[in-house]
Amino acid sequence: MVIAVLDYAPAGRPKWLLRTLVMILIISAGAAIGAAIGDWVQPDLYIFNGLLAVPSSGAGTGMALAKQTHITAICAGIPAAAATLNAQGIRISAAEFSNRMTLKDVPQTRLISIRCTSRSFDTPLAMVNALIIPYCNNVTGVTALPGTLRRSTTYASAGFVIGGAATGLMIVLRRHQVAR
C-alpha cells in the first residue's frame, strides 16, 4: 500500500543567498573599521587651500623674485603668528607652524599658493588669520583671495579598501582551510 504525502510547505530558501549576504555584511564591517582607523591616524585631517595675490612688478624674473621676497617676508612672521595663536589657546610652536604651512610660487601668475593643515578644523583658518591677513594689511597691494577648507579623506579611503580586502581575504582563507 502506497500513501501519498502532499507537502504544501514553501520551498526552503537557498542557503547560498544567506551566506553571501552575511559575507557582504562582514566585509562591509571590516571596511568601515578600516576607514575609522585611517581617519583616526591621519595627521592632516583638515586642509586650507588659498591664494595670495601680489602687486604686478613687471614680467618674467622680476615677478618671480618679488613673489619669493613676499614668501620670505611672510615666513619671517611665523614666530609672532605662533605666539598669537598660543595667546588664543591654540598650542602650536613656530617649528610646527612652519611645518604645517606651505607657501609656493604659482608660475606665470601674480599668485602665491597657501596651504595650511591640522587635525583640528579651526587651526588652519587661525593660522591664516594670524599670519597672512596681518601681512596683507601691512603690505600695500597684497591681497588674500578666498580659499577652501576641506576635510581630507585620504587615509580613511585607504583604510576602507585595506580593511575590506583584509576581511574578505580572511573569509576566503578560512573557507579554504575548512574545506580541507
Side-chain angles (χ1 to χ4, degrees):
M1 176 156 112
V2 175
I3 299 177
V5 177
L6 299 176
D7 186 9
Y8 293 106
R13 293 186 182 169
K15 291 184 179 182
W16 65 268
L17 180 62
L18 182 60
R19 287 182 185 147
T20 302
L21 290 175
V22 168
M23 279 194 290
I24 289 172
L25 181 65
I26 291 170
I27 292 172
S28 298
I33 290 169
I37 291 170
D39 193 61
W40 181 58
V41 300
Q42 182 158 341
D44 299 329
L45 198 55
Y46 293 94
I47 300 169
F48 173 83
N49 288 311
L51 294 169
L52 189 65
V54 299
S56 179
S57 66
T61 57
M63 178 54 87
L65 184 60
K67 288 194 285 186
Q68 195 57 47
T69 303
H70 284 291
I71 290 172
T72 304
I74 292 169
C75 289
I78 287 177
T84 300
L85 292 180
N86 281 311
Q88 294 173 358
I90 298 173
R91 300 286 168 230
I92 190 168
S93 68
E96 184 181 2
F97 193 114
S98 180
N99 289 339
R100 295 197 171 276
M101 176 172 269
T102 306
L103 299 168
K104 288 185 182 176
D105 177 2
V106 179
Q108 301 175 351
T109 66
R110 303 182 314 120
L111 303 175
I112 297 172
S113 168
I114 304 166
R115 180 181 172 102
C116 301
T117 62
S118 179
R119 288 271 319 151
S120 170
F121 75 92
D122 58 344
T123 303
L125 295 176
M127 291 168 70
V128 170
N129 287 334
L131 182 64
I132 303 298
I133 301 303
Y135 183 79
C136 291
N137 291 339
N138 292 331
V139 178
T140 306
V142 177
T143 308
L145 302 175
T148 58
L149 179 68
R150 67 176 180 85
R151 192 170 197 278
S152 178
T153 58
T154 305
Y155 282 41
S157 299
F160 182 84
V161 170
I162 291 170
T167 306
L169 185 62
M170 287 189 302
I171 290 173
V172 168
L173 291 177
R174 174 132 173 110
R175 290 186 137 243
H176 181 69
Q177 187 180 29
V178 170
R180 284 187 181 183

